[in-house]
Amino acid sequence: MSVKNRLAEIGLEIPALPQAGGNYDHAVQSGNMLYLSGKGPIKPDGSKFTGIVGDDVSLEEAYGHARLVGTLLLAAAQDYLGDLDRVTRVVKVFGMVRAAPDFGGHPSVINGCSDLFVEVFGNRGRHARSAVGMGSLPGGITVEIEAIFEIE
């Protein structure tokens, strides 16, 4: 099944890719690897989800934020590739969670993105991953995630 059909089946629309906020590209290809710049959770009105996970943001809310970030990573890949069927494998996900000092559920938060990739790509969406806590993230966002995709 094509990724486009799979997205329609699960009722997921890829959001518009916001303009890069600095002197960088959303995606850079080297050989058959596509490196996707870190993204944060953006609301439909363009504002960002902010807060500290484990303090004023619940694990469940942050999971949703990570899933949203996954859709933005897909948007970056689609913008660069033109067709997400060119993704042969999600290789690596690096997830950062702005968390309270005593919060330990970082992997459960980043599962929001990981689960999305497996839902969209099936087994080729399974990947290596890191999920770490941060004292701060740009603009006070709750999560930032970057990814590496293998492409054809």
Side-chain angles (χ1 to χ4, degrees):
M1 174 183 294
S2 75
V3 172
K4 184 176 182 178
N5 289 343
R6 180 66 183 142
L7 292 171
E9 182 180 277
I10 63 176
L12 182 67
E13 288 189 38
I14 301 297
L17 186 61
Q19 187 171 358
N23 192 17
Y24 66 90
D25 292 324
H26 290 293
V28 172
Q29 181 178 350
S30 180
N32 66 337
M33 304 303 274
L34 186 65
Y35 296 83
L36 301 173
S37 294
K39 302 280 176 253
I42 300 174
K43 298 176 186 179
D45 68 3
S47 64
K48 298 174 181 171
F49 286 100
T50 61
I52 299 173
V53 181
D55 188 2
D56 54 347
V57 177
S58 72
L59 187 149
E60 294 77 14
E61 290 170 308
Y63 174 97
H65 298 173
R67 182 177 174 90
L68 178 60
V69 172
T71 67
L72 290 170
L73 290 166
L74 293 175
Q78 182 172 275
D79 181 70
Y80 183 86
L81 298 170
D83 184 356
L84 288 173
D85 283 322
R86 291 186 55 200
V87 175
T88 58
R89 179 81 196 241
V90 178
V91 176
K92 173 81 178 187
V93 168
F94 179 65
M96 297 159 273
V97 180
R98 182 176 178 222
D102 61 344
F103 182 77
H106 310 88
S108 296
V109 169
I110 302 305
N111 280 344
C113 181
S114 295
D115 292 348
L116 174 69
F117 287 168
V118 171
E119 189 175 358
V120 169
F121 294 112
N123 279 337
R124 61 191 173 130
R126 294 186 58 80
H127 50 270
R129 186 181 83 181
S130 298
V132 298
M134 300 288 173
S136 66
L137 287 171
I141 58 176
T142 54
V143 297
E144 181 175 349
I145 305 172
E146 60 183 50
I148 303 169
F149 290 178
E150 180 183 55
I151 60 172
E152 59 181 22

